[in-house]
Amino acid sequence: MSVIYPRKPTYILCSASVGGNRERNGQIGDLMDITSMDDRFGKDTWEEAEAEIQRLSLRKALEKGGLRESDLSCMFAGDLLNQCVASVYGLLGFNAPLFGIFGACSTVAEGLILATLAINGGAELCSVTASSHNCSAERQFRYPIEYGAIRTPTSQWTVTGGASFIVGSKCESPIAKILALCPGRMCDSGISDANNMGAAMAPAAADTFIRYFKETGEKPEDFDYIFTGDLGAEGSDLFKLIMGDNGFRYLENHRDCGLMIYSSEDKDIKSGGSGCGCSASVLSSLILPDIKRGRLKNVLFAATGALMNAATVQQGNTIPGICHLLRISSVGG
């Protein structure tokens, strides 16, 4: 069984997003709760700046929901850095149990799935936080930033940003309702190019959607939108090709978070945005507010991840992909 249905009503109660300067000037910059003009967020290092993104987003989400950190049963958080240190240092001051998670760019969906399971297991309130920082990620995964390495057309720009979400079963005015979960399976399509993560993740995205549709009997056209993140231009094209080969040819309502966060005139982003903060920011800043306002009633949100680290890339290993999916609806849906 691929699809899991919560046994009791589970809601996203509130959320908050944080973005850097490039994100502030992107398509959803005006919708973000907090942005920084220099990407440092008042800190001395990029790693400290990413930790601050986590702290700021969770603090703001709690504030928007009129909640205290003591209300949290537990926190789920993840990032791209070794041992999830942005999550550790960013949330160190919060007095709640922490589950550090790693799903690469799929982290926010993984966290929301785990939080939903925790709520249905008896937890009261759970937070989910995901972040990335372009400079900290580049320093860890690719070339030293100072080298100014040439970026290929299929490469994606790691988002400087993140978001936090509060999940629970009781609330007077929740943002949205979580109706179904479809955890992802690892898929290895043989891609070993770290500058083409979209191609590595697209088969995993297709696998998750195909399993979901076949098990539920639903179709892509049953939803306002089906969102992926972050396949970018290259991965989105491949995703549609695989879906079409499996009989799902209607994908006019597909949108990818990696193509939604930046301006199309920003040529540096190449194939689109990526990073744990990408789909998390788009979900918090754009998708959930549209659900709350009634502009969207029923969506599928699926975040994708490229499961690699710096050592495996240097050793020439292939890059497995994964995709976790949630069906999210308006509260009355």
Side-chain angles (χ1 to χ4, degrees):
M1 181 176 181
S2 299
V3 182
I4 302 170
Y5 298 96
R7 294 183 177 179
K8 62 182 179 181
T10 306
Y11 303 101
I12 299 175
L13 311 183
C14 48
S15 72
S17 59
V18 177
N21 187 51
R22 186 172 236 116
E23 293 69 29
R24 182 174 66 89
N25 293 314
Q27 296 186 68
I28 64 169
D30 292 341
L31 305 176
M32 289 183 163
D33 293 284
I34 301 170
T35 56
S36 169
M37 294 185 66
D38 62 3
D39 292 349
R40 289 191 177 274
F41 298 90
K43 300 299 179 180
D44 295 329
T45 69
W46 305 125
E47 290 75 16
E48 289 174 338
E50 185 173 348
E52 184 68 1
I53 290 172
Q54 294 235 357
R55 189 193 72 81
L56 288 171
S57 67
L58 182 51
R59 184 67 64 197
K60 186 66 175 180
L62 290 169
E63 177 188 319
K64 289 171 70 174
L67 302 168
R68 300 165 298 179
E69 60 186 69
S70 58
D71 294 326
L72 296 175
S73 300
C74 60
M75 304 182 294
F76 295 92
D79 54 83
L80 292 176
L81 302 184
N82 290 336
Q83 287 74 53
C84 294
V85 292
S87 304
V88 171
Y89 289 107
L91 305 182
L92 187 61
F94 291 85
N95 187 28
L98 171 68
F99 290 96
I101 58 176
F102 177 78
C105 302
S106 73
T107 293
V108 65
E110 178 182 355
L112 288 170
I113 288 175
L114 293 173
T116 300
L117 296 176
I119 294 299
N120 280 263
E124 293 293 329
L125 288 175
C126 298
S127 66
V128 176
T129 303
S131 71
S132 53
H133 194 295
N134 182 268
C135 292
S136 64
E138 291 297 309
R139 174 148 55 198
Q140 176 170 286
F141 283 100
R142 299 179 184 89
Y143 301 95
I145 299 168
E146 294 82 0
Y147 285 1
I150 297 174
R151 302 178 65 248
T152 64
T154 59
S155 65
Q156 294 174 243
W157 187 272
T158 304
V159 166
T160 296
S164 289
F165 307 82
I166 309 299
V167 179
S169 60
K170 298 178 182 178
C171 181
E172 293 183 1
S173 56
I175 299 175
K177 188 175 184 180
I178 298 174
L179 293 182
L181 318 169
C182 188
R185 303 188 299 195
M186 291 182 288
C187 297
D188 190 343
S189 56
I191 302 296
S192 58
D193 182 3
N195 288 307
N196 194 0
M197 294 187 296
M201 296 185 291
D207 176 75
T208 299
F209 275 101
I210 290 168
R211 286 188 295 120
Y212 177 85
F213 289 134
K214 287 187 174 180
E215 185 167 320
T216 63
E218 297 165 354
K219 303 179 294 296
E221 53 265 40
D222 294 333
F223 299 88
D224 296 315
Y225 288 107
I226 61 172
F227 294 99
T228 56
D230 334 310
L231 297 178
E234 183 82 5
S236 292
D237 288 345
L238 182 56
F239 166 70
K240 292 176 182 178
L241 179 63
I242 299 172
M243 292 293 289
D245 288 344
N246 283 272
F248 298 97
R249 293 179 174 82
Y250 177 90
L251 288 174
E252 295 179 12
N253 58 348
H254 168 252
R255 299 291 184 273
D256 185 72
C257 296
L259 298 175
M260 297 167 66
I261 192 165
Y262 293 122
S263 168
S264 60
E265 299 177 357
D266 190 343
K267 303 305 180 183
D268 285 342
I269 65 167
K270 303 298 182 182
S271 188
S274 67
C276 302
C278 183
S279 56
S281 297
V282 174
L283 177 62
S284 175
S285 301
L286 181 63
I287 300 172
L288 290 179
D290 276 355
I291 291 175
K292 186 174 183 179
R293 296 186 189 104
R295 295 175 182 172
L296 299 177
K297 301 289 186 181
N298 194 23
V299 305
L300 293 179
F301 173 80
T304 54
L307 304 178
M308 63 180 186
N309 69 17
T312 61
V313 170
Q314 293 169 3
Q315 293 164 3
N317 289 350
T318 56
I319 304 171
I322 198 164
C323 175
H324 300 295
L325 179 150
L326 299 96
R327 179 183 172 188
I328 304 174
S329 76
S330 59
V331 175

